[in-house]
Amino acid sequence: MPKILIVGGGYAGFYTAWKLEKQLRKGEAEVTIVDPLPYMTYQPFLPEVAAGSIEPRHAVVAQRRHLKSTNVITAKVTGINHAEKKATITPPVGEPWEIEYDQIVVTAGAVSRTFPIPGVADEAIGLKTIEEAVAIRDRVLTNFDRAANLPAGPERDRLLTFVVVGGGFAGIEVFAELRSFASALLKSYPQLTFDDTSFHLIEAMGRIMPEVTLETSHWVLKNLAERGALVHLDTQLKSAVGGVVELSTGESFESDLIVWTAGVMANPGVVRGGDLPVEERGRIKTRADLRVGTEEEFVEGAWAAGDVSAVPDLTGGGVGGYCVPNAQHAVRQGKLLAKNIIAVLRGEQTKQYVHKNMGAVAGLGLGIGVFQSGKIAIKGFPAWVAHRGYHGLAMPSFERKFRVFWGWWNNFWLGRDIVSLAAREYPRAAFEEFASRPKPPAEAAPAAPAAAEAPAVAAKPATKPRAKSTTAAASAAATDEKAPAKPARKAPVKRTPKPKVAAEAAPATGAAAEDAVATPAEK
């Protein structure tokens, strides 16, 4: 039975496996999908997750729940040896192993692309994973809680200053959603006013949202300005050390939340760990039929799709002749990839990927959106409805669709939940604070003076039995000498001094062996 290995469980990988399950005949092929995470993240929903409009678990799709006959492996692929058709699987626990395959599908997706700007690696957070979106939401809520207890001043200003770097669709969406979220929070914090909050978006180019027309982007800028959000165009981030944001314009301010959305790149962990051909931007060279290779020659048994691949855009609308890295292409490529693999298994011809961009739609906060398709532009509430309708229906599986729409319906009547769960990052903190620990061992008594140097003394009759001292016990154990029992004497006697015997210290065991109690490292 042919073995199909799918590397990556994002849009393209998940849809490839999903469609293979539906279209393969019984016993026709064995499908395995490998991804470090056990779920697919629907990334267009990340801005709404960050703004509390969608519950985090509703924006992900569990692989094991929806891939019934696919072998799901939660691990990393750290090496691809296509010459021998073997891949190295590295699990989070245990030793790596190799897996053999007949057809490999590389859909490892993309990661945030950053630049060596001082402080970015230490202070900023991306927006590519559900965990990052949740952390952004909790940081906003936690900062409001803290700021409400502070008087006006630099410390409160820092907590209520939020920065987004990157003016593409992802950056504008999360920026506008957070602005909407913060405005809605103010009614729950009477100590704070609208003027206390500050939102800055930094874009190196002279415009935002290159996917829409210039007129539409100007409308978005105007709308954000009316809502108290400041966009810095033709501006670069120079430094973010210690949360101090320094811009190329000379402006400087402090922020406790810096969100980085200025670009993505193909997942280097998979691309660099294999022998498949790679182009200058680090993506796998891919043909229009999604086979790895060029139009003149392809690599037998190797396929790629999604953000990790350089797929030619046959419609002529791509950037540099290739499909742009977005969910719209990844989903459709995954569906076609499944069909093409089955075609090869059955000796049929493959089809080329051709998809003309249907347009772009973005949510800019509750009740505000923008839609662009060709020369047609819709703004405001109708575009917001189109945004939610399109992405809600595009969410894989009826079960996920129901959860998302049900959450929106609840929020319409009850409002967004404003509880911060930032403490989840240190779930054992409360337990450790009050947990009982063993008492530290008592210090050993000082050793008695040498018998040869001490004057003779009269022994007093013992009134109560005493426990042998720690020092005496250690000395007796080391010399392996046991003194015979002697009757109690009533009259003082003189004892002949015995030569001293050097006693080796007994090795400490148990709690006594530790000098201090280790405390858990903070994340």
Side-chain angles (χ1 to χ4, degrees):
M1 182 186 301
K3 296 180 179 180
I4 302 172
L5 174 64
I6 302 175
V7 182
Y11 296 117
F14 177 84
Y15 272 92
T16 299
W18 206 25
K19 295 303 178 180
L20 283 173
E21 284 194 352
K22 296 180 179 180
Q23 298 170 18
L24 282 171
R25 303 187 185 114
K26 186 176 181 180
E28 190 171 12
E30 177 184 326
V31 182
T32 299
I33 187 169
V34 183
D35 192 275
L37 300 173
Y39 51 79
M40 184 213 82
T41 302
Y42 192 74
Q43 293 186 9
F45 279 157
L46 293 183
E48 289 203 54
V49 172
S53 295
I54 295 179
E55 285 301 307
R57 286 184 176 85
H58 296 174
V60 299
V61 182
Q63 294 171 356
R64 297 180 187 275
R65 178 165 186 167
H66 296 282
L67 299 178
K68 303 294 186 181
S69 60
T70 300
N71 180 26
V72 178
I73 300 177
T74 305
K76 291 182 179 180
V77 172
T78 54
I80 298 175
N81 183 357
H82 191 67
E84 299 181 7
K85 291 193 174 181
K86 294 181 180 179
T88 302
I89 310 296
T90 303
V93 179
E95 297 297 324
W97 76 89
E98 288 188 339
I99 185 173
E100 297 182 351
Y101 61 83
D102 298 292
Q103 305 282 335
I104 188 169
V105 179
V106 184
T107 57
V111 298
S112 295
R113 182 191 63 182
T114 59
F115 306 102
I117 301 172
V120 168
D122 301 318
E123 302 293 339
I125 184 172
L127 191 65
K128 290 292 294 179
T129 68
I130 194 70
E131 293 81 7
E132 290 173 326
V134 173
I136 291 171
R137 173 185 178 274
D138 286 342
R139 177 68 64 86
V140 172
L141 291 169
T142 300
N143 283 9
F144 265 77
D145 289 334
R146 293 173 177 174
N149 296 325
L150 296 174
E155 190 173 355
R156 189 169 77 173
D157 292 342
R158 177 188 174 99
L159 291 172
L160 298 179
T161 297
F162 307 100
V163 177
V164 175
V165 183
F169 250 69
I172 290 296
E173 282 192 290
V174 71
F175 183 65
E177 289 283 359
L178 291 180
R179 174 68 274 185
S180 173
F181 188 34
S183 299
L185 285 175
L186 290 172
K187 62 183 180 182
S188 300
Y189 295 87
Q191 306 91 333
L192 305 175
T193 66
F194 182 88
D195 293 334
D196 290 329
T197 61
S198 180
F199 281 79
H200 298 265
L201 184 135
I202 304 167
E203 171 54 48
M205 297 176 60
R207 60 164 298 179
I208 61 171
M209 303 174 75
E211 298 88 346
V212 303
T213 63
L214 192 60
E215 180 184 357
T216 302
S217 70
H218 286 166
W219 180 87
V220 174
L221 288 173
K222 181 181 178 181
N223 178 268
L224 290 172
E226 292 173 351
R227 293 158 61 186
L230 182 60
V231 178
H232 304 264
L233 296 178
D234 292 312
T235 305
Q236 296 180 350
L237 176 65
K238 305 297 290 185
S239 175
V241 176
V244 179
V245 177
E246 297 181 7
L247 306 181
S248 58
T249 58
E251 187 177 357
S252 177
F253 48 85
E254 294 189 36
S255 173
D256 197 54
L257 177 60
I258 302 172
V259 182
W260 181 273
T261 64
V264 296
M265 65 179 182
N267 190 331
V270 173
V271 174
R272 296 173 185 171
D275 56 358
L276 298 177
V278 178
E279 48 97 72
E280 60 274 7
R281 296 189 61 184
R283 299 174 297 180
I284 296 177
K285 291 182 180 180
T286 310
R287 293 158 39 105
D289 64 357
L290 304 179
R291 297 192 193 201
V292 173
T294 63
E295 293 304 317
E296 294 76 24
E297 185 179 6
F298 64 86
V299 179
E300 181 68 35
W303 309 77
D307 296 354
V308 78
S309 64
V311 180
D313 191 338
L314 302 183
T315 67
V319 177
Y322 296 100
C323 296
V324 296
N326 62 22
Q328 191 174 136
H329 283 306
V331 169
R332 287 167 175 79
Q333 287 172 7
K335 294 178 180 179
L336 177 63
L337 207 159
K339 293 180 179 179
N340 281 348
I341 292 176
I342 294 175
V344 169
L345 294 178
R346 298 174 182 174
E348 302 171 356
Q349 294 295 319
T350 61
K351 295 181 179 180
Q352 293 186 324
Y353 176 74
V354 181
H355 172 68
K356 187 175 182 180
N357 196 334
M358 298 173 58
V361 61
L364 305 176
L366 289 181
I368 306 173
V370 62
F371 170 79
Q372 182 82 52
S373 179
K375 296 182 179 180
I376 301 175
I378 304 175
K379 311 175 188 73
F381 183 77
W384 177 76
V385 174
H387 162 75
R388 285 204 160 179
Y390 172 77
H391 286 298
L393 294 175
M395 188 71 177
S397 81
F398 174 79
E399 176 252 344
R400 292 286 106 178
K401 290 180 175 65
F402 182 84
R403 291 180 188 274
V404 169
F405 280 104
W406 183 252
W408 282 336
W409 177 252
N410 287 338
N411 287 349
F412 177 78
W413 296 104
L414 305 175
R416 289 180 282 199
D417 200 320
I418 61 171
V419 175
S420 170
L421 296 178
R424 82 195 185 290
E425 297 184 15
Y426 314 101
R428 297 187 66 250
F431 177 82
E432 290 179 357
E433 181 180 358
F434 301 103
S436 298
R437 291 181 170 83
K439 294 182 179 180
E443 295 184 2
E453 301 174 0
V457 294
K460 297 180 179 180
T463 56
K464 292 184 180 180
R466 292 188 178 182
K468 187 180 294 184
S469 68
T470 305
T471 304
S475 178
T479 57
D480 195 27
E481 294 179 1
K482 295 183 180 180
K486 297 182 180 180
R489 298 179 184 273
K490 297 182 180 181
V493 296
K494 290 185 180 181
R495 297 179 180 175
T496 303
K498 293 182 180 181
K500 294 186 290 182
V501 179
E504 298 179 358
T509 59
E514 300 182 5
D515 295 327
V517 179
T519 57
E522 294 184 352
K523 181 175 179 181

